Amino acid sequence: MYAGRIVESAPAEALFAYPGHPYTQGLLTATLSIDEARPITRVMEGAVPDLARLPRGCRFHPRCPAVLERCRIEDPPAFRLGAHHLAACWLHQGEDAP
Ligand code: SF4
């Protein structure tokens, strides 16, 4: 969930193996690991927006490292990445799995 919207949902195994949303990917690279060989590799820039003043389009776009021009205008629907895997991100448009 990001700024009040579910941006990705999947069974845990699929989510950790194939995170499809840039926010999920950012969270997974920003988590601490008990394995010292896998340190934090990236910290997400920016902050969660004020829920009363959400940005237009995808609410994650001001922080997204993969932002497209369309993201600043249109909020993406949830695209199906697998049987029980959904991600609300324009990067997956046209990839809809059955
Ligand atoms: S829709 Fe655009 S801004 Fe939002 S997460 Fe996907 S690529 Fe990033």
Side-chain angles (χ1 to χ4, degrees):
M1 176 166 303
Y2 183 77
R5 182 180 184 197
I6 296 173
V7 294
E8 183 160 11
S9 65
E13 192 172 300
L15 190 77
F16 282 92
Y18 307 106
H21 194 281
Y23 180 60
T24 311
Q25 295 163 5
L27 287 177
L28 292 177
T29 59
T31 54
L32 287 170
S33 172
I34 57 172
D35 177 3
E36 291 182 25
R38 192 176 68 89
I40 293 175
T41 55
R42 188 175 54 148
V43 174
M44 261 186 277
E45 299 292 329
V48 177
D50 179 344
L51 295 181
R53 301 174 60 140
L54 290 171
R56 184 178 179 200
C58 173
R59 56 190 67 183
F60 186 60
H61 88 256
R63 304 176 71 189
C64 183
V67 63
L68 307 169
E69 199 50 45
R70 181 177 197 176
C71 307
R72 302 178 204 279
I73 301 165
E74 295 180 74
D75 198 17
F79 295 102
R80 184 170 298 283
L81 308 186
H84 301 286
H85 192 170
L86 298 169
C89 175
W90 288 119
L91 296 176
H92 300 291
Q93 184 180 28
E95 291 180 13
D96 254 3

